[in-house]
Amino acid sequence: MKIKNIKNYIDYLLQWIKQQVVSARKVGVVIGISGGIDSACCLALCKQIKKIKIYPYHFYFQQNKDELKYIYDLEKTFKIKIEKINLSKSFQAIQRELFITDQLSLRNLKIRLHSICLYAIAQNENSLVLGTSNADEIYIGYFTKFGDIISDLSPLASINKKQIYEISKILNVPLSIIKRAPTAGFYKGQTDEKELKLKYDEIDNYLAGIKINQKSKSKIQHLHNQTSHKRIFINKPLSYENWCLKK
C-alpha cells in the first residue's frame, strides 16, 4: 500500500539528518550495517545527502556467507565500501576475563561491543553515530539497553516497519534485503517475528490505533510496560503522522 506524501516525508528526514550533523559541527555519520532492512534504509537515506560523509561498518563474530551477500548487495547498489570487522577475539577476551556464561548476557555483550566500536570510530572521524532502531522495536523494548539503542541521532525511531519498507523501495534498497525476513542475526535461522511471536504488521496497526486481536494486543502492552526502563532519551525526527499534521 502506497503511503501518501512519503516522498516529501523523505525530504524532511534528509534535512533533519543533515541539520543534526551540521549543528553538531561534525562531518558525517557512522552506521552499523547488519544486512537488514533498517540499517539498509538508513544507509540509503544518508546516500541522498550531499557533503555528509558516511562511515558504514559491518561487525561480526563469525563470518556468515549468507549475511555477507546482503552486505555486498548494498555495496554494489550504493557504490560504497562497507568495512567488515571481525570482533571475535575482542569478544572472547572480555568473556574470558569476566567469566560470563549466561547466554543472554553474552548476546547483549556482542551488541554493546558494536556500540563501543561505533562511538570510537565516530570520535576518531569527527562524526555522529546514527542509530537504526525503528518505532516498533522501541515501543516493545526489542533492543539492548546501552547497546544498539545508543546513538546521536535515530532517523527511524519514529517510523514503523511498513513505512520503512515503503521508504526503502523508493530509495532503491536491494530487493534481496526488502524480501528478507527481519532478523537480528543472533543465531542461525533466527527471525524477529518468530522470536517475538508477533508480526510487525500487528505492532504497526496497534501503534496506529487499528484494532488487532486481543492476544497480540495484550502481549504488546506487556512488552511495552516491562521494558519502560530501557527507553532512555532518543534523538528522533517527527513521526510521519505528526509531520503530516504540521503540513
PDB file of all heavy atoms in Angstrom, residues 68-104:
ATOM      1  N   LEU A  68      26.821 -11.942   4.363  1.00  0.00           N
ATOM      2  CA  LEU A  68      27.732 -11.129   3.546  1.00  0.00           C
ATOM      3  C   LEU A  68      27.137 -10.809   2.179  1.00  0.00           C
ATOM      4  O   LEU A  68      27.433  -9.761   1.602  1.00  0.00           O
ATOM      5  CB  LEU A  68      29.067 -11.844   3.380  1.00  0.00           C
ATOM      6  CG  LEU A  68      30.052 -11.732   4.547  1.00  0.00           C
ATOM      7  CD1 LEU A  68      31.290 -12.577   4.284  1.00  0.00           C
ATOM      8  CD2 LEU A  68      30.444 -10.280   4.803  1.00  0.00           C
ATOM      9  N   LYS A  69      26.292 -11.701   1.671  1.00  0.00           N
ATOM     10  CA  LYS A  69      25.659 -11.459   0.377  1.00  0.00           C
ATOM     11  C   LYS A  69      24.862 -10.152   0.410  1.00  0.00           C
ATOM     12  O   LYS A  69      24.902  -9.369  -0.538  1.00  0.00           O
ATOM     13  CB  LYS A  69      24.734 -12.623   0.018  1.00  0.00           C
ATOM     14  CG  LYS A  69      23.975 -12.427  -1.297  1.00  0.00           C
ATOM     15  CD  LYS A  69      22.945 -13.509  -1.517  1.00  0.00           C
ATOM     16  CE  LYS A  69      22.171 -13.273  -2.808  1.00  0.00           C
ATOM     17  NZ  LYS A  69      21.421 -11.997  -2.816  1.00  0.00           N
ATOM     18  N   TYR A  70      24.151  -9.923   1.505  1.00  0.00           N
ATOM     19  CA  TYR A  70      23.352  -8.697   1.623  1.00  0.00           C
ATOM     20  C   TYR A  70      24.255  -7.470   1.734  1.00  0.00           C
ATOM     21  O   TYR A  70      23.930  -6.402   1.196  1.00  0.00           O
ATOM     22  CB  TYR A  70      22.428  -8.787   2.841  1.00  0.00           C
ATOM     23  CG  TYR A  70      21.463  -9.944   2.773  1.00  0.00           C
ATOM     24  CD1 TYR A  70      21.606 -11.053   3.606  1.00  0.00           C
ATOM     25  CD2 TYR A  70      20.409  -9.947   1.863  1.00  0.00           C
ATOM     26  CE1 TYR A  70      20.728 -12.130   3.535  1.00  0.00           C
ATOM     27  CE2 TYR A  70      19.521 -11.025   1.783  1.00  0.00           C
ATOM     28  CZ  TYR A  70      19.694 -12.106   2.626  1.00  0.00           C
ATOM     29  OH  TYR A  70      18.826 -13.176   2.548  1.00  0.00           O
ATOM     30  N   ILE A  71      25.377  -7.626   2.410  1.00  0.00           N
ATOM     31  CA  ILE A  71      26.340  -6.529   2.526  1.00  0.00           C
ATOM     32  C   ILE A  71      26.897  -6.175   1.148  1.00  0.00           C
ATOM     33  O   ILE A  71      26.990  -4.998   0.776  1.00  0.00           O
ATOM     34  CB  ILE A  71      27.496  -6.901   3.486  1.00  0.00           C
ATOM     35  CG1 ILE A  71      26.964  -7.281   4.872  1.00  0.00           C
ATOM     36  CG2 ILE A  71      28.502  -5.762   3.576  1.00  0.00           C
ATOM     37  CD1 ILE A  71      26.214  -6.195   5.584  1.00  0.00           C
ATOM     38  N   TYR A  72      27.235  -7.197   0.375  1.00  0.00           N
ATOM     39  CA  TYR A  72      27.759  -6.964  -0.976  1.00  0.00           C
ATOM     40  C   TYR A  72      26.695  -6.325  -1.882  1.00  0.00           C
ATOM     41  O   TYR A  72      27.012  -5.483  -2.725  1.00  0.00           O
ATOM     42  CB  TYR A  72      28.253  -8.275  -1.594  1.00  0.00           C
ATOM     43  CG  TYR A  72      29.475  -8.848  -0.910  1.00  0.00           C
ATOM     44  CD1 TYR A  72      29.597 -10.222  -0.689  1.00  0.00           C
ATOM     45  CD2 TYR A  72      30.510  -8.028  -0.478  1.00  0.00           C
ATOM     46  CE1 TYR A  72      30.717 -10.758  -0.050  1.00  0.00           C
ATOM     47  CE2 TYR A  72      31.627  -8.546   0.154  1.00  0.00           C
ATOM     48  CZ  TYR A  72      31.721  -9.915   0.366  1.00  0.00           C
ATOM     49  OH  TYR A  72      32.831 -10.436   0.998  1.00  0.00           O
ATOM     50  N   ASP A  73      25.437  -6.728  -1.705  1.00  0.00           N
ATOM     51  CA  ASP A  73      24.345  -6.123  -2.486  1.00  0.00           C
ATOM     52  C   ASP A  73      24.246  -4.629  -2.202  1.00  0.00           C
ATOM     53  O   ASP A  73      24.032  -3.823  -3.114  1.00  0.00           O
ATOM     54  CB  ASP A  73      23.007  -6.805  -2.156  1.00  0.00           C
ATOM     55  CG  ASP A  73      22.885  -8.192  -2.770  1.00  0.00           C
ATOM     56  OD1 ASP A  73      23.716  -8.537  -3.633  1.00  0.00           O
ATOM     57  OD2 ASP A  73      21.960  -8.931  -2.381  1.00  0.00           O
ATOM     58  N   LEU A  74      24.415  -4.254  -0.930  1.00  0.00           N
ATOM     59  CA  LEU A  74      24.380  -2.834  -0.560  1.00  0.00           C
ATOM     60  C   LEU A  74      25.565  -2.087  -1.155  1.00  0.00           C
ATOM     61  O   LEU A  74      25.412  -0.964  -1.667  1.00  0.00           O
ATOM     62  CB  LEU A  74      24.394  -2.680   0.962  1.00  0.00           C
ATOM     63  CG  LEU A  74      23.087  -2.969   1.698  1.00  0.00           C
ATOM     64  CD1 LEU A  74      23.320  -2.986   3.201  1.00  0.00           C
ATOM     65  CD2 LEU A  74      22.021  -1.931   1.332  1.00  0.00           C
ATOM     66  N   GLU A  75      26.748  -2.690  -1.101  1.00  0.00           N
ATOM     67  CA  GLU A  75      27.948  -2.050  -1.660  1.00  0.00           C
ATOM     68  C   GLU A  75      27.775  -1.786  -3.150  1.00  0.00           C
ATOM     69  O   GLU A  75      28.118  -0.711  -3.647  1.00  0.00           O
ATOM     70  CB  GLU A  75      29.171  -2.930  -1.418  1.00  0.00           C
ATOM     71  CG  GLU A  75      29.619  -2.979   0.035  1.00  0.00           C
ATOM     72  CD  GLU A  75      30.868  -3.821   0.228  1.00  0.00           C
ATOM     73  OE1 GLU A  75      30.960  -4.901  -0.419  1.00  0.00           O
ATOM     74  OE2 GLU A  75      31.736  -3.419   1.014  1.00  0.00           O
ATOM     75  N   LYS A  76      27.234  -2.772  -3.843  1.00  0.00           N
ATOM     76  CA  LYS A  76      27.064  -2.658  -5.292  1.00  0.00           C
ATOM     77  C   LYS A  76      26.006  -1.609  -5.637  1.00  0.00           C
ATOM     78  O   LYS A  76      26.204  -0.779  -6.535  1.00  0.00           O
ATOM     79  CB  LYS A  76      26.663  -4.019  -5.873  1.00  0.00           C
ATOM     80  CG  LYS A  76      26.533  -4.032  -7.383  1.00  0.00           C
ATOM     81  CD  LYS A  76      26.195  -5.429  -7.887  1.00  0.00           C
ATOM     82  CE  LYS A  76      26.042  -5.435  -9.408  1.00  0.00           C
ATOM     83  NZ  LYS A  76      25.693  -6.799  -9.912  1.00  0.00           N
ATOM     84  N   THR A  77      24.886  -1.647  -4.930  1.00  0.00           N
ATOM     85  CA  THR A  77      23.778  -0.730  -5.226  1.00  0.00           C
ATOM     86  C   THR A  77      24.148   0.719  -4.946  1.00  0.00           C
ATOM     87  O   THR A  77      23.866   1.617  -5.753  1.00  0.00           O
ATOM     88  CB  THR A  77      22.535  -1.112  -4.394  1.00  0.00           C
ATOM     89  OG1 THR A  77      22.129  -2.437  -4.741  1.00  0.00           O
ATOM     90  CG2 THR A  77      21.383  -0.149  -4.646  1.00  0.00           C
ATOM     91  N   PHE A  78      24.780   0.969  -3.804  1.00  0.00           N
ATOM     92  CA  PHE A  78      25.060   2.341  -3.392  1.00  0.00           C
ATOM     93  C   PHE A  78      26.503   2.770  -3.628  1.00  0.00           C
ATOM     94  O   PHE A  78      26.903   3.866  -3.221  1.00  0.00           O
ATOM     95  CB  PHE A  78      24.677   2.531  -1.925  1.00  0.00           C
ATOM     96  CG  PHE A  78      23.198   2.366  -1.682  1.00  0.00           C
ATOM     97  CD1 PHE A  78      22.720   1.309  -0.930  1.00  0.00           C
ATOM     98  CD2 PHE A  78      22.300   3.245  -2.253  1.00  0.00           C
ATOM     99  CE1 PHE A  78      21.349   1.146  -0.723  1.00  0.00           C
ATOM    100  CE2 PHE A  78      20.929   3.091  -2.050  1.00  0.00           C
ATOM    101  CZ  PHE A  78      20.458   2.040  -1.284  1.00  0.00           C
ATOM    102  N   LYS A  79      27.265   1.890  -4.288  1.00  0.00           N
ATOM    103  CA  LYS A  79      28.648   2.216  -4.667  1.00  0.00           C
ATOM    104  C   LYS A  79      29.433   2.763  -3.472  1.00  0.00           C
ATOM    105  O   LYS A  79      29.990   3.872  -3.512  1.00  0.00           O
ATOM    106  CB  LYS A  79      28.661   3.207  -5.830  1.00  0.00           C
ATOM    107  CG  LYS A  79      28.067   2.638  -7.111  1.00  0.00           C
ATOM    108  CD  LYS A  79      28.060   3.649  -8.231  1.00  0.00           C
ATOM    109  CE  LYS A  79      27.619   3.022  -9.546  1.00  0.00           C
ATOM    110  NZ  LYS A  79      26.294   2.376  -9.491  1.00  0.00           N
ATOM    111  N   ILE A  80      29.465   1.968  -2.424  1.00  0.00           N
ATOM    112  CA  ILE A  80      30.137   2.366  -1.197  1.00  0.00           C
ATOM    113  C   ILE A  80      30.818   1.146  -0.584  1.00  0.00           C
ATOM    114  O   ILE A  80      30.322   0.022  -0.707  1.00  0.00           O
ATOM    115  CB  ILE A  80      29.129   2.979  -0.190  1.00  0.00           C
ATOM    116  CG1 ILE A  80      29.862   3.659   0.962  1.00  0.00           C
ATOM    117  CG2 ILE A  80      28.138   1.936   0.306  1.00  0.00           C
ATOM    118  CD1 ILE A  80      28.952   4.514   1.826  1.00  0.00           C
ATOM    119  N   LYS A  81      31.955   1.373   0.029  1.00  0.00           N
ATOM    120  CA  LYS A  81      32.694   0.305   0.696  1.00  0.00           C
ATOM    121  C   LYS A  81      32.228   0.205   2.141  1.00  0.00           C
ATOM    122  O   LYS A  81      32.261   1.189   2.880  1.00  0.00           O
ATOM    123  CB  LYS A  81      34.197   0.595   0.634  1.00  0.00           C
ATOM    124  CG  LYS A  81      35.066  -0.363   1.447  1.00  0.00           C
ATOM    125  CD  LYS A  81      35.100  -1.754   0.845  1.00  0.00           C
ATOM    126  CE  LYS A  81      36.073  -2.650   1.589  1.00  0.00           C
ATOM    127  NZ  LYS A  81      36.024  -4.039   1.127  1.00  0.00           N
ATOM    128  N   ILE A  82      31.787  -0.977   2.543  1.00  0.00           N
ATOM    129  CA  ILE A  82      31.380  -1.220   3.928  1.00  0.00           C
ATOM    130  C   ILE A  82      32.499  -2.001   4.607  1.00  0.00           C
ATOM    131  O   ILE A  82      32.818  -3.123   4.204  1.00  0.00           O
ATOM    132  CB  ILE A  82      30.055  -2.001   3.989  1.00  0.00           C
ATOM    133  CG1 ILE A  82      28.931  -1.188   3.333  1.00  0.00           C
ATOM    134  CG2 ILE A  82      29.697  -2.342   5.448  1.00  0.00           C
ATOM    135  CD1 ILE A  82      27.630  -1.943   3.169  1.00  0.00           C
ATOM    136  N   GLU A  83      33.115  -1.390   5.599  1.00  0.00           N
ATOM    137  CA  GLU A  83      34.217  -2.048   6.298  1.00  0.00           C
ATOM    138  C   GLU A  83      33.690  -3.234   7.107  1.00  0.00           C
ATOM    139  O   GLU A  83      32.709  -3.109   7.834  1.00  0.00           O
ATOM    140  CB  GLU A  83      34.922  -1.063   7.234  1.00  0.00           C
ATOM    141  CG  GLU A  83      35.624   0.081   6.537  1.00  0.00           C
ATOM    142  CD  GLU A  83      36.774  -0.382   5.652  1.00  0.00           C
ATOM    143  OE1 GLU A  83      37.353  -1.451   5.934  1.00  0.00           O
ATOM    144  OE2 GLU A  83      37.094   0.327   4.687  1.00  0.00           O
ATOM    145  N   LYS A  84      34.371  -4.373   6.962  1.00  0.00           N
ATOM    146  CA  LYS A  84      33.941  -5.593   7.651  1.00  0.00           C
ATOM    147  C   LYS A  84      34.969  -5.934   8.733  1.00  0.00           C
ATOM    148  O   LYS A  84      36.120  -6.196   8.419  1.00  0.00           O
ATOM    149  CB  LYS A  84      33.785  -6.725   6.644  1.00  0.00           C
ATOM    150  CG  LYS A  84      32.781  -6.386   5.536  1.00  0.00           C
ATOM    151  CD  LYS A  84      33.000  -7.224   4.298  1.00  0.00           C
ATOM    152  CE  LYS A  84      32.278  -6.626   3.104  1.00  0.00           C
ATOM    153  NZ  LYS A  84      32.932  -5.405   2.584  1.00  0.00           N
ATOM    154  N   ILE A  85      34.523  -5.908   9.978  1.00  0.00           N
ATOM    155  CA  ILE A  85      35.429  -6.051  11.119  1.00  0.00           C
ATOM    156  C   ILE A  85      35.041  -7.264  11.959  1.00  0.00           C
ATOM    157  O   ILE A  85      33.905  -7.370  12.427  1.00  0.00           O
ATOM    158  CB  ILE A  85      35.411  -4.800  12.022  1.00  0.00           C
ATOM    159  CG1 ILE A  85      35.645  -3.524  11.204  1.00  0.00           C
ATOM    160  CG2 ILE A  85      36.428  -4.939  13.145  1.00  0.00           C
ATOM    161  CD1 ILE A  85      37.016  -3.409  10.602  1.00  0.00           C
ATOM    162  N   ASN A  86      36.007  -8.173  12.145  1.00  0.00           N
ATOM    163  CA  ASN A  86      35.794  -9.362  12.980  1.00  0.00           C
ATOM    164  C   ASN A  86      36.111  -9.016  14.438  1.00  0.00           C
ATOM    165  O   ASN A  86      37.255  -8.713  14.771  1.00  0.00           O
ATOM    166  CB  ASN A  86      36.702 -10.501  12.481  1.00  0.00           C
ATOM    167  CG  ASN A  86      36.429 -11.810  13.187  1.00  0.00           C
ATOM    168  OD1 ASN A  86      35.821 -11.852  14.262  1.00  0.00           O
ATOM    169  ND2 ASN A  86      36.872 -12.908  12.596  1.00  0.00           N
ATOM    170  N   LEU A  87      35.090  -9.070  15.297  1.00  0.00           N
ATOM    171  CA  LEU A  87      35.266  -8.729  16.711  1.00  0.00           C
ATOM    172  C   LEU A  87      35.366  -9.964  17.607  1.00  0.00           C
ATOM    173  O   LEU A  87      35.283  -9.847  18.833  1.00  0.00           O
ATOM    174  CB  LEU A  87      34.086  -7.865  17.189  1.00  0.00           C
ATOM    175  CG  LEU A  87      33.947  -6.475  16.570  1.00  0.00           C
ATOM    176  CD1 LEU A  87      32.706  -5.781  17.120  1.00  0.00           C
ATOM    177  CD2 LEU A  87      35.191  -5.636  16.820  1.00  0.00           C
ATOM    178  N   SER A  88      35.551 -11.134  17.013  1.00  0.00           N
ATOM    179  CA  SER A  88      35.517 -12.374  17.803  1.00  0.00           C
ATOM    180  C   SER A  88      36.611 -12.421  18.871  1.00  0.00           C
ATOM    181  O   SER A  88      36.356 -12.837  20.006  1.00  0.00           O
ATOM    182  CB  SER A  88      35.621 -13.602  16.885  1.00  0.00           C
ATOM    183  OG  SER A  88      36.819 -13.569  16.138  1.00  0.00           O
ATOM    184  N   LYS A  89      37.825 -11.977  18.553  1.00  0.00           N
ATOM    185  CA  LYS A  89      38.914 -12.032  19.532  1.00  0.00           C
ATOM    186  C   LYS A  89      38.649 -11.087  20.704  1.00  0.00           C
ATOM    187  O   LYS A  89      38.899 -11.429  21.863  1.00  0.00           O
ATOM    188  CB  LYS A  89      40.251 -11.706  18.865  1.00  0.00           C
ATOM    189  CG  LYS A  89      40.753 -12.806  17.942  1.00  0.00           C
ATOM    190  CD  LYS A  89      42.120 -12.462  17.368  1.00  0.00           C
ATOM    191  CE  LYS A  89      42.624 -13.579  16.445  1.00  0.00           C
ATOM    192  NZ  LYS A  89      43.946 -13.240  15.851  1.00  0.00           N
ATOM    193  N   SER A  90      38.138  -9.899  20.400  1.00  0.00           N
ATOM    194  CA  SER A  90      37.816  -8.934  21.457  1.00  0.00           C
ATOM    195  C   SER A  90      36.712  -9.476  22.351  1.00  0.00           C
ATOM    196  O   SER A  90      36.783  -9.395  23.593  1.00  0.00           O
ATOM    197  CB  SER A  90      37.374  -7.608  20.841  1.00  0.00           C
ATOM    198  OG  SER A  90      38.391  -7.071  20.034  1.00  0.00           O
ATOM    199  N   PHE A  91      35.697 -10.047  21.724  1.00  0.00           N
ATOM    200  CA  PHE A  91      34.581 -10.612  22.473  1.00  0.00           C
ATOM    201  C   PHE A  91      35.035 -11.757  23.372  1.00  0.00           C
ATOM    202  O   PHE A  91      34.693 -11.825  24.558  1.00  0.00           O
ATOM    203  CB  PHE A  91      33.505 -11.093  21.499  1.00  0.00           C
ATOM    204  CG  PHE A  91      32.427 -11.920  22.127  1.00  0.00           C
ATOM    205  CD1 PHE A  91      31.475 -11.340  22.952  1.00  0.00           C
ATOM    206  CD2 PHE A  91      32.374 -13.292  21.904  1.00  0.00           C
ATOM    207  CE1 PHE A  91      30.476 -12.114  23.542  1.00  0.00           C
ATOM    208  CE2 PHE A  91      31.390 -14.072  22.493  1.00  0.00           C
ATOM    209  CZ  PHE A  91      30.437 -13.472  23.314  1.00  0.00           C
ATOM    210  N   GLN A  92      35.849 -12.655  22.821  1.00  0.00           N
ATOM    211  CA  GLN A  92      36.322 -13.810  23.592  1.00  0.00           C
ATOM    212  C   GLN A  92      37.203 -13.385  24.760  1.00  0.00           C
ATOM    213  O   GLN A  92      37.154 -13.978  25.841  1.00  0.00           O
ATOM    214  CB  GLN A  92      37.068 -14.769  22.669  1.00  0.00           C
ATOM    215  CG  GLN A  92      36.157 -15.505  21.701  1.00  0.00           C
ATOM    216  CD  GLN A  92      36.899 -16.143  20.534  1.00  0.00           C
ATOM    217  OE1 GLN A  92      38.138 -16.179  20.516  1.00  0.00           O
ATOM    218  NE2 GLN A  92      36.164 -16.632  19.549  1.00  0.00           N
ATOM    219  N   ALA A  93      37.996 -12.336  24.553  1.00  0.00           N
ATOM    220  CA  ALA A  93      38.861 -11.843  25.628  1.00  0.00           C
ATOM    221  C   ALA A  93      38.033 -11.299  26.794  1.00  0.00           C
ATOM    222  O   ALA A  93      38.307 -11.584  27.966  1.00  0.00           O
ATOM    223  CB  ALA A  93      39.786 -10.761  25.095  1.00  0.00           C
ATOM    224  N   ILE A  94      36.979 -10.545  26.470  1.00  0.00           N
ATOM    225  CA  ILE A  94      36.111  -9.999  27.530  1.00  0.00           C
ATOM    226  C   ILE A  94      35.367 -11.130  28.236  1.00  0.00           C
ATOM    227  O   ILE A  94      35.270 -11.152  29.468  1.00  0.00           O
ATOM    228  CB  ILE A  94      35.109  -8.984  26.930  1.00  0.00           C
ATOM    229  CG1 ILE A  94      35.858  -7.777  26.369  1.00  0.00           C
ATOM    230  CG2 ILE A  94      34.109  -8.533  27.996  1.00  0.00           C
ATOM    231  CD1 ILE A  94      34.984  -6.824  25.568  1.00  0.00           C
ATOM    232  N   GLN A  95      34.846 -12.048  27.460  1.00  0.00           N
ATOM    233  CA  GLN A  95      34.124 -13.187  28.038  1.00  0.00           C
ATOM    234  C   GLN A  95      35.017 -13.979  28.996  1.00  0.00           C
ATOM    235  O   GLN A  95      34.604 -14.359  30.096  1.00  0.00           O
ATOM    236  CB  GLN A  95      33.627 -14.111  26.914  1.00  0.00           C
ATOM    237  CG  GLN A  95      32.879 -15.340  27.410  1.00  0.00           C
ATOM    238  CD  GLN A  95      32.545 -16.307  26.286  1.00  0.00           C
ATOM    239  OE1 GLN A  95      32.996 -16.134  25.146  1.00  0.00           O
ATOM    240  NE2 GLN A  95      31.758 -17.323  26.582  1.00  0.00           N
ATOM    241  N   ARG A  96      36.249 -14.184  28.585  1.00  0.00           N
ATOM    242  CA  ARG A  96      37.201 -14.954  29.393  1.00  0.00           C
ATOM    243  C   ARG A  96      37.573 -14.203  30.667  1.00  0.00           C
ATOM    244  O   ARG A  96      37.600 -14.780  31.758  1.00  0.00           O
ATOM    245  CB  ARG A  96      38.446 -15.246  28.555  1.00  0.00           C
ATOM    246  CG  ARG A  96      39.468 -16.146  29.222  1.00  0.00           C
ATOM    247  CD  ARG A  96      40.525 -16.604  28.222  1.00  0.00           C
ATOM    248  NE  ARG A  96      41.183 -15.484  27.565  1.00  0.00           N
ATOM    249  CZ  ARG A  96      41.021 -15.181  26.273  1.00  0.00           C
ATOM    250  NH1 ARG A  96      40.230 -15.899  25.503  1.00  0.00           N
ATOM    251  NH2 ARG A  96      41.661 -14.141  25.742  1.00  0.00           N
ATOM    252  N   GLU A  97      37.817 -12.900  30.547  1.00  0.00           N
ATOM    253  CA  GLU A  97      38.228 -12.108  31.704  1.00  0.00           C
ATOM    254  C   GLU A  97      37.112 -11.945  32.729  1.00  0.00           C
ATOM    255  O   GLU A  97      37.353 -11.880  33.934  1.00  0.00           O
ATOM    256  CB  GLU A  97      38.717 -10.724  31.253  1.00  0.00           C
ATOM    257  CG  GLU A  97      40.026 -10.738  30.484  1.00  0.00           C
ATOM    258  CD  GLU A  97      41.209 -11.197  31.330  1.00  0.00           C
ATOM    259  OE1 GLU A  97      41.208 -10.938  32.543  1.00  0.00           O
ATOM    260  OE2 GLU A  97      42.109 -11.842  30.769  1.00  0.00           O
ATOM    261  N   LEU A  98      35.871 -11.883  32.264  1.00  0.00           N
ATOM    262  CA  LEU A  98      34.736 -11.637  33.161  1.00  0.00           C
ATOM    263  C   LEU A  98      33.997 -12.916  33.555  1.00  0.00           C
ATOM    264  O   LEU A  98      33.035 -12.854  34.320  1.00  0.00           O
ATOM    265  CB  LEU A  98      33.754 -10.657  32.498  1.00  0.00           C
ATOM    266  CG  LEU A  98      34.316  -9.274  32.156  1.00  0.00           C
ATOM    267  CD1 LEU A  98      33.237  -8.410  31.521  1.00  0.00           C
ATOM    268  CD2 LEU A  98      34.874  -8.581  33.389  1.00  0.00           C
ATOM    269  N   PHE A  99      34.402 -14.051  32.999  1.00  0.00           N
ATOM    270  CA  PHE A  99      33.789 -15.352  33.324  1.00  0.00           C
ATOM    271  C   PHE A  99      32.278 -15.355  33.053  1.00  0.00           C
ATOM    272  O   PHE A  99      31.485 -15.868  33.845  1.00  0.00           O
ATOM    273  CB  PHE A  99      34.047 -15.732  34.793  1.00  0.00           C
ATOM    274  CG  PHE A  99      35.492 -15.725  35.187  1.00  0.00           C
ATOM    275  CD1 PHE A  99      36.026 -14.676  35.918  1.00  0.00           C
ATOM    276  CD2 PHE A  99      36.333 -16.766  34.800  1.00  0.00           C
ATOM    277  CE1 PHE A  99      37.374 -14.658  36.270  1.00  0.00           C
ATOM    278  CE2 PHE A  99      37.679 -16.762  35.149  1.00  0.00           C
ATOM    279  CZ  PHE A  99      38.197 -15.700  35.881  1.00  0.00           C
ATOM    280  N   ILE A 100      31.886 -14.786  31.922  1.00  0.00           N
ATOM    281  CA  ILE A 100      30.464 -14.719  31.586  1.00  0.00           C
ATOM    282  C   ILE A 100      30.038 -16.002  30.870  1.00  0.00           C
ATOM    283  O   ILE A 100      30.651 -16.405  29.878  1.00  0.00           O
ATOM    284  CB  ILE A 100      30.165 -13.497  30.696  1.00  0.00           C
ATOM    285  CG1 ILE A 100      30.501 -12.215  31.447  1.00  0.00           C
ATOM    286  CG2 ILE A 100      28.697 -13.483  30.267  1.00  0.00           C
ATOM    287  CD1 ILE A 100      30.410 -10.967  30.610  1.00  0.00           C
ATOM    288  N   THR A 101      28.961 -16.629  31.373  1.00  0.00           N
ATOM    289  CA  THR A 101      28.454 -17.864  30.764  1.00  0.00           C
ATOM    290  C   THR A 101      26.986 -17.761  30.361  1.00  0.00           C
ATOM    291  O   THR A 101      26.521 -18.523  29.521  1.00  0.00           O
ATOM    292  CB  THR A 101      28.614 -19.049  31.735  1.00  0.00           C
ATOM    293  OG1 THR A 101      27.924 -18.745  32.958  1.00  0.00           O
ATOM    294  CG2 THR A 101      30.092 -19.322  32.036  1.00  0.00           C
ATOM    295  N   ASP A 102      26.250 -16.832  30.962  1.00  0.00           N
ATOM    296  CA  ASP A 102      24.833 -16.676  30.644  1.00  0.00           C
ATOM    297  C   ASP A 102      24.668 -16.264  29.183  1.00  0.00           C
ATOM    298  O   ASP A 102      25.288 -15.287  28.727  1.00  0.00           O
ATOM    299  CB  ASP A 102      24.211 -15.617  31.556  1.00  0.00           C
ATOM    300  CG  ASP A 102      22.760 -15.355  31.218  1.00  0.00           C
ATOM    301  OD1 ASP A 102      21.917 -16.229  31.472  1.00  0.00           O
ATOM    302  OD2 ASP A 102      22.475 -14.259  30.662  1.00  0.00           O
ATOM    303  N   GLN A 103      23.815 -16.982  28.442  1.00  0.00           N
ATOM    304  CA  GLN A 103      23.689 -16.768  27.000  1.00  0.00           C
ATOM    305  C   GLN A 103      23.109 -15.397  26.652  1.00  0.00           C
ATOM    306  O   GLN A 103      23.544 -14.754  25.691  1.00  0.00           O
ATOM    307  CB  GLN A 103      22.842 -17.880  26.373  1.00  0.00           C
ATOM    308  CG  GLN A 103      23.532 -19.235  26.340  1.00  0.00           C
ATOM    309  CD  GLN A 103      24.882 -19.187  25.631  1.00  0.00           C
ATOM    310  OE1 GLN A 103      24.974 -18.754  24.478  1.00  0.00           O
ATOM    311  NE2 GLN A 103      25.926 -19.618  26.315  1.00  0.00           N
ATOM    312  N   LEU A 104      22.136 -14.928  27.433  1.00  0.00           N
ATOM    313  CA  LEU A 104      21.567 -13.613  27.160  1.00  0.00           C
ATOM    314  C   LEU A 104      22.596 -12.514  27.427  1.00  0.00           C
ATOM    315  O   LEU A 104      22.702 -11.544  26.672  1.00  0.00           O
ATOM    316  CB  LEU A 104      20.317 -13.380  28.009  1.00  0.00           C
ATOM    317  CG  LEU A 104      19.587 -12.048  27.786  1.00  0.00           C
ATOM    318  CD1 LEU A 104      19.185 -11.884  26.324  1.00  0.00           C
ATOM    319  CD2 LEU A 104      18.365 -11.950  28.694  1.00  0.00           C
TER     320      LEU A 104
END
